């Protein structure tokens, strides 16, 4: 169920501008005040009404008393790569935890955000999958992670980075975005809004486990955000073993939906392929993947597997990764190996699982796959 209210107070990041205007109308405030507030939230990155000095004092006081802005409670901040990778662990209303990672590069700043606490999809190589689904995040909770990263970036020493603004948002943190489609998409629209945060659609990337209904839906959306699909295996037997979703949407169906998506949007898709030693990383499997993707407007992102304690899986050796890449390239498939960040603080892909204690104690709620 959609959570608009938070502790009985309207949670401002969950409200669209028209809804904010409605709220203000009820308070006897003119519509332009709502636009001012909106700019404060998404342009000035204000997180407390007290700092919104262009609003009348009485209004600031009412906002402080009757609404909430920040609801993500920072539990832990870890840094790596000379402070240029920053992972936050947040407690969200209800007590669950989610993680957000800011990665600053010489020419860009990317934030990787969570769309759910936990995940129902159960991929065997992923730390988040082992939690089961705890709950969906609201649009505001997704947006707020990006705003946190934007503030964090502003606080970095300008000598450390010339980048002042978040340039990219990737929905690759905890959770399956398409299993929380409506709220996730509201967050995309909010971040894109030229009157607010104003992030270009092409600067956002969603990664899906391969939920075909979501891919079809995304193909019809007006905003051209980028699509990445987690493939990870070249045949159904292996993919089903690694990713239960494959039993519902096998590879042929997934690729058919991807082809439809490409035909409808004329956009290149990325396939993610996490490399597990001796499991999916042989030259024969690379050749099979090359044949599977031949002629598709796509790119393959090879991801060195990041260790998840308690799994019997192993990370492919560097030489095997490079061999895999060579074979794919020989098949005419554009292919890169993902640059790794934040492994020391478990901020890398698929390592996001919250506090160790949560992993042990959380009840694993499994919902039917796909919806
Ligand atoms: N649920 C979505 C998005 C979040 S996971 C999805 O599965 O695509 C983001 C990416 O990290 C996916 O490609 C996922 O397969 C990959 N991943 C999961 N666990 C990983 C691990 N331990 N090491 C490296 N990548 C991992
Ligand atoms: Fe969920 Fe993605 Fe992890 Fe699979 S890889 S369990 S879909 S977060």
């Amino acid at each position: 169920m959609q959570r608009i209210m938070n502790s009985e107070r309207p949670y401002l990041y969950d409200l669209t501008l028209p809804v904010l205007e409605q709220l203000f109308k009820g308070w006897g405030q003119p519509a332009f005040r709502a636009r001012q507030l909106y700019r404060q939230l998404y342009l000035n990155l204000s997180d407390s009404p007290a700092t919104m000095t262009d609003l009348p004092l009485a209004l600031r006081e009412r906002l402080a008393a009757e609404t909430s802005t920040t609801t993500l409670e920072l539990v832990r901040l870890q840094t790596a790569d000379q402070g240029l990778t920053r992972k936050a662990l947040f407690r969200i209303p209800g007590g669950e935890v989610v993680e957000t990672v800011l990665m600053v590069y010489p020419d860009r700043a990317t934030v990787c955000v969570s769309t759910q606490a936990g995940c129902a999809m159960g991929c065997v190589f992923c730390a988040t999958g082992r939690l089961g689904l705890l709950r969906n995040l609201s649009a505001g909770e997704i947006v707020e992670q990006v705003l946190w990263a934007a503030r964090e970036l502003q606080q970095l020493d300008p000598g450390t980075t010339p980048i002042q603004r978040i340039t990219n948002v990737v929905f690759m943190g905890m959770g399956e975005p398409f299993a929380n489609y409506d709220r996730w998409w509201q967050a995309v629209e909010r971040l894109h809004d030229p009157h607010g945060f104003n992030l270009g659609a092409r600067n956002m990337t969603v990664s899906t486990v391969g939920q075909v209904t979501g891919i079809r839906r995304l193909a019809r959306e007006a905003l051209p955000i980028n699509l990445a699909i987690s493939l990870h295996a070249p045949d159904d037997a292996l993919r089903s073993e690694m990713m239960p979703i494959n039993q519902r949407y096998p590879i042929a169906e997934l690729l058919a939906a991807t082809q439809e998506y490409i035909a409808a949007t004329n956009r290149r898709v990325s396939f993610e392929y996490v490399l597990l030693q001796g499991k999916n990383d042989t030259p024969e499997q690379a050749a099979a993947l090359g044949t599977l993707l031949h002629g598709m407007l796509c790119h393959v992102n090879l991801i060195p597997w990041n260790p998840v304690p308690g799994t019997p899986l192993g990370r492919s050796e560097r030489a095997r990764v490079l061999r895999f890449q060579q074979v794919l390239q020989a098949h005419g498939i554009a292919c890169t190996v993902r640059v790794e960040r934040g492994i020391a603080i478990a901020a890398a892909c698929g390592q996001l699982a919250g506090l160790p204690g949560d992993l042990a104690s959380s009840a694993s709620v499994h919902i039917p796959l796909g919806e």
Side-chain angles (χ1 to χ4, degrees), residues 339-362:
V339 179
E340 298 171 86
R341 274 292 182 104
I343 295 189
I345 54 170
C349 297
Q351 290 185 304
L352 306 180
L355 295 164
D358 289 73
L359 191 57
S361 64
S362 67

Side-chain angles (χ1 to χ4, degrees), residues 62-268:
R62 183 155 190 195
L63 281 168
E66 296 179 28
T67 69
S68 67
T69 47
T70 47
T71 60
L72 302 182
E73 180 199 336
L74 186 67
V75 178
R76 186 178 66 194
L77 176 69
Q78 290 171 284
T79 64
D81 307 312
Q82 287 81 48
L84 297 178
T85 299
R86 309 176 79 79
K87 178 173 87 161
L89 179 75
F90 294 111
R91 192 178 312 283
I92 57 177
E96 301 83 2
V97 291
V98 295
E99 289 177 312
T100 308
V101 186
L102 169 65
M103 291 159 285
V104 185
Y105 301 89
D107 59 340
R108 64 190 198 282
T110 300
V111 54
C112 177
V113 305
S114 298
T115 54
Q116 299 182 305
C119 179
M121 299 297 153
C123 306
V124 296
F125 47 84
C126 173
T128 306
R130 302 169 83 202
L131 297 169
L133 178 67
L134 303 175
R135 83 160 165 86
N136 285 316
L137 299 192
S138 75
E141 288 166 338
I142 299 170
V143 168
E144 201 186 320
Q145 294 172 64
V146 178
L147 300 178
W148 166 81
R151 284 183 211 113
E152 195 72 9
L153 187 60
Q154 284 185 340
Q155 280 161 24
L156 287 182
D157 177 358
T160 325
T161 170
I163 306 291
Q164 299 287 307
R165 235 188 97 81
I166 297 295
T167 59
N168 297 81
V169 171
V170 297
F171 300 97
M172 296 186 181
M174 294 169 77
E176 165 55 31
F178 290 170
N180 187 20
Y181 195 107
D182 292 338
R183 296 172 197 111
W184 162 71
W185 188 256
Q186 269 182 40
V188 168
E189 291 184 322
R190 191 79 38 78
L191 293 168
H192 173 264
D193 187 347
H195 302 294
F197 198 71
N198 193 22
L199 185 68
R202 301 314 303 259
N203 296 66
M204 291 188 249
T205 301
V206 65
S207 174
T208 178
V209 68
Q211 219 202 38
V212 162
T213 47
I215 295 172
R216 296 217 164 97
R217 221 172 139 182
L218 186 66
R220 298 193 299 269
E221 300 286 3
L223 295 180
I225 72 162
N226 303 304
L227 173 63
I229 298 170
S230 296
L231 191 55
H232 306 323
D235 62 81
D236 280 325
L238 181 59
R239 193 165 189 271
S240 293
E241 186 191 315
M242 292 167 59
M243 307 169 75
I245 186 92
N246 197 68
Q247 291 155 26
R248 169 110 175 225
Y249 300 118
I251 293 176
E253 196 177 337
L254 172 59
L255 293 187
T258 308
Q259 288 285 26
E260 284 169 33
Y261 173 90
I262 295 169
T265 62
N266 205 21
R267 292 198 294 271
R268 188 177 80 155

